[in-house]
Amino acid sequence: MTTDVQAPAPARASARPPAPDPTDRRTRALTRAVVALCTAAITVEGFDLIVYGVAMPSMLADSHLGLDKTLAGTLGSLVYLGMLIGAVVCGPLADRLGRRRLVLASGVIFTLFTVGCAVAATPWQFGLFRLLAGIGMGGVMPSCIALAKEYAPRGRSALVATIVLAGVPVGGVLAALTAAAWGDSLGWRGLFGVGAALSTLVFVGVYALLPDSRPGAADAPDPRAVPSTASVGNPGTGGSLASGGPTAEAKNLSPARSVLSDGRARTTVLFVVANFAVLLAWYGLNTWLTQLMREMDYPLGSALQFTLVLNLGAVIGSFAIAAVADRIGPRLVTIGSAALSSVAVVGLSLGGNTVVILCLTALAGVGAHSSLTVLNDWVASTYPASIRATALGYVSGFGRAGAIVAPLLGGWILTASLGPTTVFYVFAGAAALSAAALLAIPGRRA
């Protein structure tokens, strides 16, 4: 006689919903605070960067300073040379010493030397202080992006990167508004003084409130990682560009060498080329747009409007672009944004109706800045968090050579009497080069 054994009945699901995690609200508040503080730091950096472009007509008119267009272009490039040095040096330091320390140290450096710019008596003094201020600025950006990404909600990293990097054009808007409202009374020295004062206020808040990296963030993989060539077709290696578990050899490499190992070299080089080109276009426009419009016979008030609209377009448009990037991935969005910028800048070279030119200026701002911000998110999503600040620092730093070249090119072209149209063509070509380099990046099409 057999006995049927009844299988135990499945446990009934509890009708009571799980208790809410008491840390959720605190986590969201912390995330907002980190993003806000990083954005504020980038905003004052943007002011101090772009104020040179809006102050340039006043500086050229200052007989005591003795600037011509070639020297003005050279001085304008020095801050970007400093940013290259700062990004390359401070990126690896941030991975080793902590993002917060580097944000604070870099912020103090660029604030102090922006004060120096305001009181400089000669062009060489101004150039030296501008170079040193740039070193601080170059250290702030990769650390802020890496820190904000660590606190970003899953699936919102492109939006967070856009919010943080929107600080650059927001700072540009503030610089243009300050110059339009009080430029005559403040003079170019006063404009730099305003930037230093704003930076002081922001970094006091950063010192008081900004936390460091989340525990364990350096080991968290990114779900949108682009597979490395080392792991494609060889799943047994387990290596990927952004995996949480790189190969044993990669674990023994320094962060500086890791961005070029495990199949990352080609991708890193192409990111650098793309960043070089888009930075040439973006910072070239921010440095020279006001003066170019003056060369095209627009009055100073109208010329300042173009810089204002360029940065407003960058702020507003980049949020819409980031929302698309979070849905479909950064690849197509970044390429399309760079192409949009190229077409819009060609349109600017034609001149004509002020309303049409203002619209094209806004589109140039949307395209150039959006490609820059989403490119940074693409880079951050491509590398593991343990070397993310290093990768961002290298791509931003070596790519910063484009920003160094842009003011020089504008000055040389105008001094050679080739006209503002040629300057616009150069910036449009740079944006097109960025799109081409991004198309060549291998990996999964997001």
Side-chain angles (χ1 to χ4, degrees), residues 3-91:
T3 304
D4 292 335
V5 179
Q6 296 283 339
R12 297 178 60 187
S14 172
R16 181 179 300 175
D21 185 346
T23 64
D24 279 351
R25 185 176 301 174
R26 188 177 304 170
T27 300
R28 288 195 296 269
L30 181 60
T31 298
R32 294 190 196 103
V34 169
V35 173
L37 288 166
C38 290
T39 303
I42 299 297
T43 297
V44 292
E45 176 176 318
F47 187 106
D48 291 343
L49 269 177
I50 295 171
V51 72
Y52 180 75
V54 300
M56 187 185 293
S58 176
M59 295 178 74
L60 288 170
D62 187 344
S63 59
H64 297 290
L65 197 59
L67 286 185
D68 59 24
K69 291 170 186 174
T70 300
L71 183 54
T74 301
L75 293 179
S77 71
L78 290 175
V79 69
Y80 300 113
L81 175 60
M83 292 182 76
L84 186 156
I85 297 168
V88 171
V89 171
C90 295

Coordinates of all heavy atoms in Angstrom, one line a residue, residues 3-91:
T3 N 1.5 5.4 0.0 CA 1.0 6.6 0.6 C 1.3 7.8 -0.3 O 2.5 8.0 -0.6 CB 1.5 6.8 2.0 OG1 1.2 5.7 2.8 CG2 0.9 8.0 2.6
D4 N 0.3 8.5 -0.8 CA 0.6 9.7 -1.6 C 1.1 10.8 -0.6 O 0.5 11.1 0.4 CB -0.7 10.2 -2.3 CG -1.1 9.2 -3.4 OD1 -0.2 8.5 -3.9 OD2 -2.3 9.2 -3.7
V5 N 2.3 11.3 -1.0 CA 2.8 12.4 -0.3 C 2.4 13.8 -0.9 O 2.7 14.0 -2.1 CB 4.4 12.3 -0.2 CG1 5.0 13.5 0.6 CG2 4.8 11.0 0.4
Q6 N 1.8 14.5 -0.2 CA 1.3 15.8 -0.7 C 2.5 16.8 -0.7 O 3.2 16.9 0.3 CB 0.2 16.4 0.2 CG -1.1 15.6 0.2 CD -1.9 15.8 -1.0 OE1 -1.7 16.8 -1.7 NE2 -2.7 14.8 -1.3
A7 N 2.6 17.5 -1.8 CA 3.7 18.6 -1.9 C 3.2 19.7 -1.0 O 2.0 20.0 -0.9 CB 3.8 19.0 -3.3
P8 N 4.1 20.3 -0.3 CA 3.7 21.4 0.5 C 3.2 22.5 -0.3 O 3.6 22.8 -1.4 CB 5.1 21.8 1.2 CG 6.1 21.3 0.3 CD 5.6 20.1 -0.3
A9 N 2.1 23.1 0.2 CA 1.4 24.2 -0.5 C 2.3 25.4 -0.5 O 3.0 25.7 0.5 CB 0.1 24.6 0.2
P10 N 2.4 26.1 -1.6 CA 3.2 27.3 -1.7 C 2.8 28.3 -0.6 O 1.6 28.5 -0.4 CB 3.0 27.8 -3.1 CG 1.7 27.2 -3.6 CD 1.6 25.9 -2.9
A11 N 3.7 29.0 -0.1 CA 3.4 30.0 0.9 C 2.6 31.1 0.3 O 2.9 31.5 -0.9 CB 4.7 30.6 1.5
R12 N 1.6 31.6 1.0 CA 0.8 32.6 0.5 C 1.5 33.9 0.6 O 2.2 34.3 1.5 CB -0.5 32.7 1.3 CG -1.4 31.5 1.2 CD -2.6 31.6 2.0 NE -3.4 32.8 1.6 CZ -4.5 33.2 2.3 NH1 -4.9 32.6 3.4 NH2 -5.2 34.2 1.8
A13 N 1.4 34.7 -0.5 CA 2.1 36.0 -0.6 C 1.4 36.9 0.5 O 0.2 36.9 0.7 CB 1.9 36.6 -2.0
S14 N 2.3 37.6 1.1 CA 1.7 38.5 2.1 C 1.0 39.6 1.5 O 1.4 40.2 0.5 CB 2.9 39.1 2.9 OG 2.5 40.1 3.8
A15 N -0.1 39.9 2.0 CA -0.9 41.0 1.5 C -0.3 42.4 1.8 O -0.7 43.4 1.3 CB -2.4 40.9 2.0
R16 N 0.5 42.4 2.8 CA 1.1 43.7 3.3 C 2.3 44.1 2.4 O 3.2 43.3 2.2 CB 1.5 43.5 4.7 CG 2.1 44.8 5.3 CD 2.5 44.6 6.8 NE 1.4 44.2 7.6 CZ 1.5 43.9 8.8 NH1 2.6 43.8 9.4 NH2 0.4 43.5 9.5
P17 N 2.3 45.3 1.8 CA 3.4 45.7 1.0 C 4.7 45.8 1.8 O 4.6 46.0 3.0 CB 2.9 47.0 0.4 CG 2.0 47.5 1.4 CD 1.3 46.3 2.0
P18 N 5.8 45.6 1.2 CA 7.1 45.8 1.9 C 7.2 47.2 2.5 O 6.7 48.2 1.9 CB 8.1 45.5 0.8 CG 7.5 45.8 -0.5 CD 6.0 45.4 -0.3
A19 N 7.8 47.2 3.6 CA 8.0 48.5 4.3 C 8.9 49.4 3.5 O 9.9 48.9 2.9 CB 8.6 48.3 5.7
P20 N 8.6 50.7 3.3 CA 9.5 51.6 2.5 C 10.9 51.7 3.2 O 11.0 51.6 4.4 CB 8.7 52.9 2.6 CG 7.9 52.8 3.8 CD 7.5 51.4 4.0
D21 N 11.8 51.7 2.3 CA 13.2 51.9 2.8 C 13.4 53.3 3.4 O 13.2 54.3 2.6 CB 14.2 51.7 1.6 CG 15.6 51.7 2.0 OD1 15.9 52.1 3.2 OD2 16.5 51.3 1.2
P22 N 13.7 53.4 4.6 CA 13.8 54.7 5.3 C 14.9 55.6 4.7 O 15.0 56.8 4.9 CB 14.0 54.4 6.7 CG 14.6 53.0 6.8 CD 14.0 52.3 5.6
T23 N 15.9 54.9 4.0 CA 17.0 55.7 3.4 C 16.7 56.3 2.1 O 17.5 57.1 1.6 CB 18.2 54.8 3.3 OG1 18.0 53.8 2.4 CG2 18.6 54.2 4.7
D24 N 15.6 55.9 1.4 CA 15.3 56.3 0.1 C 15.2 57.8 0.0 O 15.8 58.5 -0.9 CB 14.0 55.7 -0.4 CG 14.2 54.3 -0.9 OD1 15.3 53.9 -1.0 OD2 13.2 53.7 -1.3
R25 N 14.5 58.5 0.9 CA 14.3 59.9 0.8 C 15.7 60.6 1.1 O 16.0 61.5 0.4 CB 13.3 60.4 1.9 CG 13.0 61.8 1.8 CD 11.9 62.2 2.8 NE 10.7 61.5 2.5 CZ 9.6 61.5 3.3 NH1 9.6 62.2 4.4 NH2 8.5 60.8 3.0
R26 N 16.4 60.0 2.0 CA 17.7 60.6 2.3 C 18.7 60.4 1.1 O 19.5 61.3 0.8 CB 18.3 59.9 3.6 CG 19.6 60.5 4.1 CD 20.0 59.8 5.4 NE 19.0 59.8 6.4 CZ 19.0 59.1 7.5 NH1 20.1 58.3 7.7 NH2 18.1 59.2 8.4
T27 N 18.6 59.3 0.5 CA 19.4 59.1 -0.7 C 19.1 60.0 -1.8 O 20.0 60.6 -2.5 CB 19.3 57.6 -1.2 OG1 19.7 56.7 -0.2 CG2 20.1 57.4 -2.4
R28 N 17.8 60.2 -2.1 CA 17.4 61.2 -3.1 C 17.9 62.6 -2.8 O 18.4 63.3 -3.7 CB 15.9 61.1 -3.3 CG 15.4 59.9 -4.0 CD 14.0 60.1 -4.5 NE 13.0 60.3 -3.4 CZ 12.4 59.3 -2.8 NH1 12.6 58.0 -3.1 NH2 11.6 59.6 -1.8
A29 N 17.8 63.0 -1.5 CA 18.2 64.3 -1.1 C 19.7 64.5 -1.3 O 20.2 65.5 -1.8 CB 17.8 64.6 0.3
L30 N 20.5 63.4 -1.0 CA 21.9 63.4 -1.1 C 22.3 63.5 -2.6 O 23.2 64.3 -3.0 CB 22.5 62.2 -0.5 CG 24.1 62.1 -0.6 CD1 24.7 63.3 0.2 CD2 24.5 60.8 0.1
T31 N 21.6 62.8 -3.4 CA 21.9 62.8 -4.9 C 21.6 64.2 -5.4 O 22.5 64.8 -6.2 CB 21.0 61.8 -5.6 OG1 21.3 60.5 -5.2 CG2 21.2 62.0 -7.1
R32 N 20.5 64.9 -5.0 CA 20.2 66.2 -5.5 C 21.3 67.2 -5.0 O 21.7 68.1 -5.8 CB 18.8 66.7 -5.0 CG 17.7 65.9 -5.6 CD 16.4 66.6 -5.2 NE 15.2 65.7 -5.4 CZ 14.6 65.0 -4.5 NH1 15.0 65.2 -3.2 NH2 13.6 64.2 -4.8
A33 N 21.7 67.0 -3.8 CA 22.7 67.9 -3.2 C 24.1 67.8 -4.0 O 24.7 68.8 -4.3 CB 22.9 67.7 -1.7
V34 N 24.5 66.6 -4.3 CA 25.7 66.4 -5.0 C 25.6 67.0 -6.4 O 26.6 67.7 -6.8 CB 26.1 64.9 -5.1 CG1 27.2 64.6 -6.0 CG2 26.4 64.3 -3.7
V35 N 24.6 66.7 -7.1 CA 24.4 67.2 -8.5 C 24.4 68.7 -8.4 O 25.0 69.4 -9.3 CB 23.1 66.6 -9.1 CG1 22.9 67.3 -10.5 CG2 23.3 65.1 -9.3
A36 N 23.6 69.3 -7.5 CA 23.5 70.8 -7.4 C 24.9 71.4 -7.1 O 25.3 72.4 -7.7 CB 22.5 71.2 -6.3
L37 N 25.7 70.8 -6.2 CA 27.0 71.4 -5.8 C 27.9 71.3 -7.0 O 28.7 72.2 -7.3 CB 27.5 70.7 -4.6 CG 26.8 71.1 -3.3 CD1 27.2 70.1 -2.1 CD2 27.1 72.5 -2.8
C38 N 28.0 70.1 -7.6 CA 28.8 69.9 -8.8 C 28.5 70.9 -9.9 O 29.3 71.5 -10.6 CB 28.8 68.5 -9.3 SG 29.6 67.3 -8.1
T39 N 27.2 71.1 -10.1 CA 26.7 72.0 -11.2 C 27.1 73.4 -10.8 O 27.5 74.2 -11.7 CB 25.2 71.9 -11.3 OG1 24.8 70.6 -11.6 CG2 24.7 72.8 -12.4
A40 N 27.0 73.8 -9.6 CA 27.4 75.2 -9.1 C 28.9 75.4 -9.4 O 29.3 76.4 -9.8 CB 27.0 75.4 -7.7
A41 N 29.7 74.3 -9.1 CA 31.1 74.5 -9.3 C 31.5 74.6 -10.8 O 32.3 75.5 -11.2 CB 31.9 73.2 -8.7
I42 N 30.8 73.9 -11.6 CA 31.0 74.0 -13.1 C 30.5 75.4 -13.6 O 31.0 75.9 -14.5 CB 30.4 72.8 -13.8 CG1 31.0 71.5 -13.4 CG2 30.5 73.0 -15.3 CD1 32.5 71.4 -13.7
T43 N 29.4 75.9 -13.0 CA 28.8 77.2 -13.4 C 29.8 78.3 -13.2 O 30.0 79.1 -14.1 CB 27.5 77.4 -12.6 OG1 26.6 76.4 -13.0 CG2 27.0 78.8 -13.0
V44 N 30.4 78.4 -12.0 CA 31.4 79.5 -11.8 C 32.6 79.2 -12.7 O 33.3 80.2 -13.1 CB 31.8 79.6 -10.3 CG1 30.6 80.1 -9.5 CG2 32.3 78.3 -9.7
E45 N 33.0 78.0 -12.9 CA 34.1 77.7 -13.9 C 33.7 78.3 -15.3 O 34.5 78.9 -16.0 CB 34.4 76.2 -14.0 CG 35.4 75.9 -15.0 CD 35.8 74.4 -15.0 OE1 36.0 73.8 -13.9 OE2 36.0 73.9 -16.1
G46 N 32.4 78.0 -15.7 CA 32.0 78.5 -17.0 C 32.0 80.0 -17.0 O 32.3 80.6 -18.1
F47 N 31.6 80.7 -16.0 CA 31.6 82.1 -15.9 C 33.1 82.6 -16.2 O 33.3 83.5 -17.0 CB 31.1 82.7 -14.6 CG 31.0 84.2 -14.5 CD1 29.7 84.8 -14.6 CD2 32.1 85.0 -14.4 CE1 29.6 86.1 -14.5 CE2 32.0 86.4 -14.3 CZ 30.7 86.9 -14.4
D48 N 34.0 82.0 -15.4 CA 35.4 82.5 -15.5 C 36.0 82.1 -16.8 O 37.0 82.8 -17.3 CB 36.2 81.9 -14.3 CG 35.8 82.5 -13.0 OD1 35.2 83.5 -13.0 OD2 36.1 81.8 -11.9
L49 N 35.6 81.1 -17.5 CA 36.0 80.7 -18.8 C 35.5 81.7 -19.9 O 36.3 82.3 -20.6 CB 35.6 79.3 -19.2 CG 36.5 78.1 -18.9 CD1 35.7 76.9 -19.3 CD2 37.8 78.2 -19.6
I50 N 34.2 81.9 -19.9 CA 33.6 82.6 -21.0 C 33.6 84.1 -20.8 O 33.5 84.9 -21.8 CB 32.1 82.1 -21.1 CG1 32.2 80.6 -21.5 CG2 31.3 82.8 -22.2 CD1 30.9 79.9 -21.5
V51 N 33.9 84.6 -19.6 CA 33.9 86.0 -19.4 C 35.0 86.7 -20.2 O 34.9 87.8 -20.6 CB 34.1 86.4 -17.9 CG1 35.5 86.0 -17.4 CG2 33.8 87.8 -17.6
Y52 N 36.1 85.9 -20.6 CA 37.1 86.5 -21.4 C 36.6 86.9 -22.8 O 36.9 87.9 -23.3 CB 38.3 85.5 -21.6 CG 39.4 86.0 -22.4 CD1 40.3 86.9 -21.9 CD2 39.6 85.5 -23.7 CE1 41.3 87.4 -22.7 CE2 40.6 86.0 -24.5 CZ 41.5 86.9 -24.0 OH 42.5 87.4 -24.8
G53 N 35.7 86.0 -23.3 CA 35.1 86.3 -24.6 C 34.3 87.6 -24.6 O 34.4 88.4 -25.5
V54 N 33.5 87.8 -23.6 CA 32.6 89.0 -23.5 C 33.4 90.2 -23.1 O 33.0 91.3 -23.4 CB 31.4 88.8 -22.6 CG1 30.6 87.6 -23.1 CG2 31.8 88.5 -21.2
A55 N 34.5 90.0 -22.4 CA 35.4 91.1 -22.0 C 36.4 91.5 -23.1 O 37.0 92.6 -23.0 CB 36.1 90.8 -20.7
M56 N 36.5 90.7 -24.1 CA 37.6 91.0 -25.1 C 37.5 92.3 -25.8 O 38.5 93.0 -26.0 CB 37.6 89.9 -26.2 CG 38.8 90.0 -27.1 SD 38.8 88.8 -28.4 CE 39.1 87.3 -27.5
P57 N 36.3 92.8 -26.3 CA 36.2 94.1 -26.9 C 36.7 95.2 -26.0 O 37.4 96.1 -26.4 CB 34.7 94.2 -27.2 CG 34.2 92.8 -27.4 CD 35.0 92.1 -26.4
S58 N 36.4 95.1 -24.7 CA 36.8 96.1 -23.7 C 38.4 96.0 -23.5 O 39.1 97.0 -23.4 CB 36.1 95.9 -22.4 OG 36.6 96.8 -21.4
M59 N 38.9 94.8 -23.5 CA 40.3 94.6 -23.3 C 41.1 95.1 -24.6 O 42.2 95.8 -24.4 CB 40.6 93.1 -23.1 CG 40.1 92.6 -21.8 SD 40.4 90.9 -21.5 CE 42.1 90.9 -21.1
L60 N 40.6 94.9 -25.8 CA 41.2 95.4 -27.0 C 41.2 96.9 -27.0 O 42.1 97.6 -27.6 CB 40.5 94.8 -28.2 CG 40.7 93.3 -28.5 CD1 39.8 92.9 -29.6 CD2 42.2 93.1 -28.9
A61 N 40.2 97.5 -26.4 CA 40.1 99.0 -26.4 C 40.9 99.6 -25.3 O 41.0 100.9 -25.3 CB 38.6 99.4 -26.3
D62 N 41.4 98.8 -24.4 CA 42.2 99.4 -23.3 C 43.6 99.7 -23.7 O 44.5 98.7 -23.9 CB 42.2 98.4 -22.1 CG 42.9 98.9 -20.8 OD1 43.6 99.9 -20.9 OD2 42.7 98.3 -19.8
S63 N 44.0 100.9 -23.9 CA 45.3 101.3 -24.5 C 46.4 101.0 -23.5 O 47.5 100.7 -23.9 CB 45.3 102.8 -24.8 OG 45.0 103.6 -23.7
H64 N 46.1 101.0 -22.2 CA 47.1 100.6 -21.2 C 47.5 99.2 -21.2 O 48.6 98.8 -20.9 CB 46.6 101.0 -19.8 CG 46.3 102.4 -19.6 ND1 47.3 103.4 -19.5 CD2 45.1 103.1 -19.4 CE1 46.7 104.6 -19.3 NE2 45.4 104.4 -19.3
L65 N 46.6 98.3 -21.7 CA 46.9 96.9 -21.7 C 47.7 96.6 -23.0 O 48.5 95.7 -23.0 CB 45.6 96.1 -21.7 CG 45.7 94.6 -21.3 CD1 46.4 94.4 -20.0 CD2 44.3 93.9 -21.3
G66 N 47.4 97.2 -24.1 CA 48.2 97.1 -25.3 C 47.9 95.8 -26.0 O 48.9 95.2 -26.5
L67 N 46.7 95.3 -26.1 CA 46.4 94.1 -26.8 C 46.1 94.3 -28.3 O 45.5 95.3 -28.7 CB 45.2 93.4 -26.2 CG 45.3 92.7 -24.9 CD1 44.0 92.0 -24.5 CD2 46.5 91.7 -24.9
D68 N 46.6 93.4 -29.2 CA 46.0 93.3 -30.5 C 45.3 91.9 -30.7 O 45.3 91.2 -29.7 CB 47.1 93.5 -31.6 CG 48.2 92.4 -31.5 OD1 48.0 91.3 -30.9 OD2 49.3 92.7 -31.9
K69 N 44.8 91.6 -31.8 CA 43.9 90.4 -32.0 C 44.8 89.2 -31.8 O 44.3 88.2 -31.3 CB 43.2 90.5 -33.3 CG 42.1 91.5 -33.3 CD 41.5 91.7 -34.7 CE 40.6 92.9 -34.8 NZ 40.1 93.2 -36.1
T70 N 46.0 89.2 -32.4 CA 46.8 88.0 -32.2 C 47.2 87.7 -30.8 O 47.1 86.6 -30.3 CB 48.1 88.2 -33.1 OG1 47.8 88.4 -34.4 CG2 49.0 87.0 -32.9
L71 N 47.6 88.8 -30.1 CA 47.9 88.6 -28.7 C 46.7 88.2 -27.8 O 46.8 87.4 -26.9 CB 48.6 89.9 -28.1 CG 49.0 89.8 -26.6 CD1 50.0 88.7 -26.4 CD2 49.7 91.2 -26.3
A72 N 45.5 88.8 -28.2 CA 44.3 88.4 -27.5 C 44.0 86.9 -27.7 O 43.6 86.2 -26.7 CB 43.1 89.3 -28.0
G73 N 44.2 86.4 -28.9 CA 44.0 85.0 -29.1 C 45.0 84.1 -28.3 O 44.6 83.1 -27.8
T74 N 46.3 84.6 -28.3 CA 47.2 83.8 -27.5 C 46.9 83.8 -26.0 O 46.9 82.7 -25.4 CB 48.6 84.5 -27.6 OG1 49.0 84.5 -29.0 CG2 49.7 83.7 -26.9
L75 N 46.5 84.9 -25.5 CA 46.1 85.0 -24.1 C 44.8 84.1 -23.8 O 44.7 83.4 -22.8 CB 45.8 86.4 -23.6 CG 47.0 87.3 -23.6 CD1 46.5 88.7 -23.1 CD2 48.1 86.8 -22.6
G76 N 43.9 84.1 -24.8 CA 42.7 83.3 -24.6 C 43.0 81.8 -24.6 O 42.3 81.0 -24.0
S77 N 44.1 81.4 -25.3 CA 44.4 80.0 -25.4 C 45.0 79.4 -24.1 O 45.0 78.2 -23.8 CB 45.3 79.7 -26.6 OG 46.6 80.2 -26.3
L78 N 45.6 80.4 -23.3 CA 46.4 79.9 -22.2 C 45.6 79.2 -21.1 O 46.0 78.3 -20.4 CB 47.2 81.1 -21.5 CG 48.3 81.6 -22.4 CD1 49.0 82.9 -21.8 CD2 49.4 80.5 -22.6
V79 N 44.3 79.7 -20.9 CA 43.5 79.1 -19.9 C 43.2 77.6 -20.3 O 43.1 76.7 -19.4 CB 42.2 79.8 -19.7 CG1 41.3 79.8 -20.9 CG2 41.4 79.4 -18.5
Y80 N 43.1 77.3 -21.6 CA 42.8 76.0 -22.0 C 44.0 75.1 -22.0 O 43.9 73.9 -21.7 CB 42.2 76.0 -23.4 CG 40.9 76.8 -23.5 CD1 40.9 78.0 -24.2 CD2 39.8 76.4 -22.8 CE1 39.7 78.8 -24.3 CE2 38.6 77.2 -22.9 CZ 38.6 78.3 -23.6 OH 37.5 79.1 -23.6
L81 N 45.2 75.7 -22.2 CA 46.4 74.9 -21.9 C 46.5 74.5 -20.4 O 46.8 73.4 -20.1 CB 47.7 75.8 -22.3 CG 49.0 75.2 -21.9 CD1 49.2 73.8 -22.7 CD2 50.1 76.2 -22.3
G82 N 46.2 75.5 -19.5 CA 46.1 75.1 -18.1 C 45.1 74.1 -17.8 O 45.4 73.2 -17.0
M83 N 43.9 74.1 -18.5 CA 42.9 73.1 -18.3 C 43.4 71.7 -18.7 O 43.1 70.7 -18.1 CB 41.6 73.5 -19.0 CG 40.9 74.7 -18.3 SD 39.4 75.1 -19.1 CE 38.3 73.8 -18.5
L84 N 44.2 71.7 -19.8 CA 44.7 70.4 -20.2 C 45.6 69.8 -19.2 O 45.5 68.7 -18.8 CB 45.5 70.6 -21.5 CG 46.1 69.4 -22.3 CD1 46.3 69.7 -23.7 CD2 47.4 68.9 -21.7
I85 N 46.5 70.7 -18.6 CA 47.4 70.2 -17.6 C 46.6 69.8 -16.4 O 46.9 68.7 -15.8 CB 48.4 71.3 -17.2 CG1 49.3 71.7 -18.4 CG2 49.3 70.9 -16.0 CD1 50.1 72.9 -18.2
G86 N 45.7 70.6 -16.0 CA 44.9 70.3 -14.8 C 44.1 69.0 -14.9 O 44.1 68.2 -14.0
A87 N 43.5 68.8 -16.1 CA 42.7 67.6 -16.3 C 43.5 66.3 -16.3 O 43.2 65.3 -15.7 CB 41.9 67.7 -17.6
V88 N 44.7 66.4 -17.0 CA 45.5 65.2 -17.1 C 46.1 64.8 -15.7 O 46.2 63.7 -15.3 CB 46.6 65.4 -18.1 CG1 47.6 64.3 -18.1 CG2 46.0 65.5 -19.5
V89 N 46.5 65.8 -15.0 CA 47.2 65.6 -13.7 C 46.1 65.2 -12.6 O 46.3 64.3 -11.8 CB 48.0 66.8 -13.2 CG1 48.5 66.7 -11.8 CG2 49.2 67.0 -14.2
C90 N 45.0 66.0 -12.6 CA 44.1 65.8 -11.5 C 43.1 64.6 -11.6 O 42.6 64.1 -10.6 CB 43.3 67.1 -11.3 SG 44.2 68.5 -10.8
G91 N 42.9 64.2 -12.9 CA 42.1 63.0 -13.1 C 42.6 61.8 -12.3 O 41.9 61.2 -11.5

